[in-house]
Amino acid sequence: MSSEPAPPEDTAVELMRAMTRLRARLRTEAPIDDLPWNWSHLTTLRRVVQQGPATVTELAQAEHVRRQSMAETVAALRAGGLVSAAKDPNDGRKSLFSATPAGADLSERIPAAREAWLAAVIGSTLRAGERKTLDRAAEIMNRLADS
């Protein structure tokens, strides 16, 4: 076994496969089949709940999607009563979107079920050293996402 890291291309392929599999598993642990919201809706809603009012442009930049795609996501959340719009006090041409109480409630319920499953699996499957490695991996993945 080599002490050298795998080439970046190999790491990228394996990381994508692992993330895709984990994401699919997380979806099965807190199904939202009875709700009309997809993963993009829920991650955007979560961001608005956690970070407060934001414009469509700010949300698009934060989620690394086109503004037009985010406008569709926000429109669906607004139609579903999960976010509301108010004029930006600094620029009346812009709208700031905030979570409604129903949006905040949904945003807490679904991730909580997924996080509970993941925490239980981490606690029952991984050794302490592996948990430390996973903590570090999460930090690195967030850094990649923010680059």
Side-chain angles (χ1 to χ4, degrees), residues 3-145:
S3 63
E4 292 295 313
E9 297 81 7
D10 293 351
T11 301
V13 168
E14 287 305 312
L15 183 59
M16 290 295 298
R17 285 180 184 155
M19 289 187 317
T20 299
R21 292 185 67 226
L22 183 57
R23 182 177 170 183
R25 180 63 191 267
L26 287 168
R27 284 181 176 176
T28 66
E29 293 305 321
I32 57 169
D33 296 338
D34 59 331
L35 300 173
W37 316 116
N38 63 32
W39 191 266
S40 296
H41 294 129
L42 295 174
T43 57
T44 299
L45 179 60
R46 183 79 168 172
R47 181 172 297 281
V48 172
V49 168
Q50 290 179 336
Q51 296 181 356
T55 65
V56 167
T57 299
E58 291 166 342
L59 291 168
Q61 290 170 346
E63 293 294 325
H64 306 288
V65 299
R66 292 184 350 252
R67 187 192 179 289
Q68 294 82 354
S69 298
M70 183 55 67
E72 291 174 13
T73 297
V74 170
L77 293 172
R78 191 172 182 195
L82 301 178
V83 297
S84 61
K87 291 289 181 196
D88 184 333
N90 299 319
D91 185 346
R93 298 169 296 172
K94 297 179 182 178
S95 293
L96 291 174
F97 293 92
S98 301
T100 64
D105 179 60
L106 179 64
S107 179
E108 295 302 319
R109 279 188 298 127
I110 290 173
R114 291 175 177 162
E115 290 163 9
W117 171 82
L118 189 55
V121 171
I122 289 169
S124 67
T125 306
L126 303 181
R127 295 182 305 271
E130 291 174 316
R131 290 195 312 266
K132 286 182 181 180
T133 299
L134 197 55
D135 288 340
R136 183 72 179 124
E139 291 174 19
I140 292 166
M141 291 172 70
N142 278 316
R143 198 168 80 226
L144 287 173

